[in-house]
Amino acid sequence: LEGAALPVRGGVVLDVMQLRQMELRKDDLVVVCGPGWFKVEVNNMLEKDGLLFGPDPSSNPSVGGMAATSGSGLSTLKYGTSRENLVSL
């Protein structure tokens, strides 16, 4: 079970779901995108070029959520976890 952030001891929680820029660098097999994109949206964009973001959590998490929790799923053995597919933040 994974959940949202809750600053019970003070602090700040940033909602970054509006950060939704995306750029496909097909020659490098890299997608530069903000954390507000959902997995299905990314794969729909990649599918047009015959590409796939392999990690497959059973839900439809955001890119930021997958990066934060190293989301994985049934395809982990083939494609690795989200963290293993992340180049940079």
Side-chain angles (χ1 to χ4, degrees), residues 4-50:
L6 184 63
V8 294
R9 295 186 178 136
V12 176
V13 175
L14 297 177
D15 180 357
V16 294
M17 291 301 293
Q18 298 300 314
L19 298 176
R20 292 179 48 91
Q21 72 282 3
M22 187 180 300
E23 171 191 354
L24 171 59
R25 297 179 185 169
K26 190 174 178 182
D27 293 339
D28 298 324
L29 296 177
V30 169
V31 174
V32 178
C33 70
W37 288 95
F38 289 96
K39 177 193 71 174
V40 168
E41 294 173 317
V42 173
N43 275 329
N44 286 342
M45 192 265 302
L46 293 174
E47 186 178 45
K48 298 172 190 172
D49 292 296

Side-chain angles (χ1 to χ4, degrees), residues 53-75:
F53 180 67
D56 189 25
S58 60
S59 61
N60 185 26
S62 67
V63 169
M66 288 189 294
T69 62
S70 191
S72 59
L74 295 175
S75 63

